[in-house]
Amino acid sequence: MRQQDNKIIFTGPVGAGKTTAIGSISEIAPVKTDARASDMTLARKAETTVALDYGRLSLEGGVRVHLYGTPGQERFDFMWEIVSQGALGLIVLVDNTRPNPSADLQFFLTAFKALLNDAPLVIGVTKTDLSAQPSAEDYANLMEKFGLRPPILEIDPRDGDDVRQLLMALLFSIDPGLEG
């Protein structure tokens, strides 16, 4: 962890809960760039992120964690590399109600491969109350194929405690000496 400013990226498909997760833990009113959905996203939700989401947390010792959420649509992938510059870690949220959440996860791992060469990963599986499959074990097996063993947590992005656990798993991956 850096002494002052640290950047964490939240990514994943449309509707996985990125905007909600950032809003549930940010100590400031989150910056959102939502616009009315006009494509196939409209089938999942009325509004969608078109640029990025931003929130902030302060830790002990004046350390700040800046939280950036990417848009989930592939047409905004040009922004992902830009937003990722200088990031210390990546949180991928996977919506278990989507038609193929394992393929979604693989897509985002590939899209953020450059960041993952230098930064740790944590996976948050959302909407498991609506669809229990794939299971956390299924995702862990998939990660093995990528040679990765990230923490995988089932979370509700509306629950600040769930999102804090996800973020703490990432922060401990970055700096195992952190105090809770």
Side-chain angles (χ1 to χ4, degrees):
M1 292 275 300
R2 297 181 187 126
Q3 286 291 38
Q4 291 295 319
D5 294 298
N6 302 275
K7 181 195 276 188
I8 303 295
I9 306 298
F10 284 73
T11 196
V14 170
K18 301 173 297 288
T19 300
T20 302
I22 289 171
S24 74
I25 62 171
S26 180
E27 65 191 16
I28 62 169
V31 175
K32 301 176 188 179
T33 58
D34 287 353
R36 179 148 174 73
S38 60
D39 57 8
M40 61 196 158
T41 302
L42 195 53
R44 297 196 69 77
K45 61 185 200 169
E47 290 188 329
T48 189
T49 300
V50 295
L52 58 87
D53 297 314
Y54 172 77
R56 188 184 71 218
L57 279 175
S58 295
L59 304 178
E60 288 184 18
V63 174
R64 288 182 299 271
V65 179
H66 302 274
L67 311 168
Y68 290 87
T70 68
Q73 298 95 323
E74 188 174 354
R75 70 175 186 250
F76 295 114
D77 65 350
F78 68 93
M79 295 180 57
W80 299 343
E81 185 177 341
I82 296 166
V83 173
S84 294
Q85 291 177 4
L88 293 181
L90 180 69
I91 295 173
V92 178
L93 296 183
V94 181
D95 176 350
N96 241 27
T97 64
R98 287 180 50 95
N100 192 342
S102 293
D104 291 339
L105 178 56
Q106 289 178 65
F107 173 81
F108 284 94
L109 292 176
T110 301
F112 285 86
K113 185 176 182 177
L115 175 59
L116 293 174
N117 286 332
D118 300 317
L121 165 71
V122 173
I123 298 167
V125 184
T126 65
K127 302 181 185 174
T128 56
D129 57 325
L130 302 174
S131 178
Q133 295 300 317
S135 68
E137 184 177 336
D138 294 330
Y139 288 116
N141 291 334
L142 176 62
M143 293 298 87
E144 287 285 330
K145 292 178 185 175
F146 280 86
L148 300 170
R149 291 188 174 167
I152 301 169
L153 298 118
E154 294 179 4
I155 69 147
D156 180 340
R158 300 167 296 187
D159 184 331
D161 289 336
D162 280 6
V163 179
R164 272 187 280 287
Q165 286 182 346
L166 191 66
L167 184 61
M168 290 310 294
L170 184 64
L171 294 176
F172 285 130
S173 295
I174 294 167
D175 183 354
L178 280 176
E179 296 181 22

